[in-house]
Amino acid sequence: MGLSGKLIGGGLGWMLGGPLGALLGGIIGHYAKDAAAGDGADPRVRQQRDELYFVASLVGVMTAMMKADGDVKQEEVAAVRRFFSERLGYRGESLEIVRDLIKRALRDGVDLDAVCLDVARRTDEATRLLLLECLLEIAEADGHLNPAEAALLDRVSALLGVGAADLRGLRARGRPGRDYEVLEVSPEAGPEDVKRAYRELVKKYHPDRVSHLGDEFKALAHQKFLDVQQAYERIRAARGWT
């Protein structure tokens, strides 16, 4: 379902400051159904607030990355739209909101550093890690990550407070022969070290930690979480550990 039907308007004031304030203000003003309904204590309002802020941050960072080389390619814009429509299943008004966010962000510009620092200040580790995972998936939608994109992702990762080892692990997900990188351990690591690393990653990337972003993002996190589990099982099988 995505964002459709959730923009009830109340309790959204906290998002109107900061680097995304103008972008979010236009969206809230246009799509909010009932500006008097709900407040920040209402669980429905908290979820739609968190999801909208996450989506706007993702779009803002991605469009800033698109504009970094001065040439926004239509295939890049299309990749962002496909991510929401095909990977997350956004339809109808939900997709309209995303398209509007992309249009406004490309038209008005977004301060990449300021947005990343704002996200780092306002969100928890699990949310920041998922944001980086989404950025990686969109950036790699054409089958590769060029040096400029890789450098920007390094910069975004640092601004978000995500460590280099975590970024390497995220980039290794789903790639043959990179299971040790996924678990952020050396190929020489013993069974206890591998198990310890796996358990830490299970806690860090468990999809329940991003349930506040809505079912669509929780389901996406679950798919990526499976990459960690499968990497661990392949290492165990390859080394004959019980």
Side-chain angles (χ1 to χ4, degrees), residues 56-167:
S57 300
L58 177 57
V59 169
V61 173
M62 201 66 235
T63 54
M65 291 175 66
M66 290 179 203
K67 296 179 76 172
D69 61 1
D71 182 23
V72 178
K73 301 178 179 63
Q74 284 305 307
E75 53 265 33
E76 294 175 323
V77 177
V80 179
R81 291 176 176 171
R82 282 197 305 272
F83 176 79
F84 284 95
S85 63
E86 297 176 11
R87 289 288 276 138
L88 295 176
Y90 276 35
R91 298 288 185 271
E93 187 176 275
S94 297
L95 205 52
E96 286 181 27
I97 292 170
V98 171
R99 287 171 177 162
D100 202 353
L101 282 167
I102 295 171
K103 179 181 177 180
R104 290 166 186 261
L106 287 173
R107 181 193 66 199
D108 300 334
V110 172
D111 185 329
L112 178 64
D113 288 18
V115 170
C116 291
L117 291 172
D118 192 61
V119 171
R121 179 176 64 86
R122 294 192 190 228
T123 65
D124 60 14
E125 179 187 39
T127 301
R128 296 194 298 271
L129 288 168
L130 182 62
L131 180 70
L132 194 57
E133 287 184 277
C134 292
L135 289 169
L136 273 166
E137 182 167 329
I138 295 170
E140 294 178 334
D142 59 358
H144 71 282
L145 195 67
N146 66 47
E149 290 172 327
L152 273 169
L153 282 167
D154 285 342
R155 175 176 153 198
V156 168
S157 177
L159 289 166
L160 291 176
V162 175
D166 282 321
L167 180 58

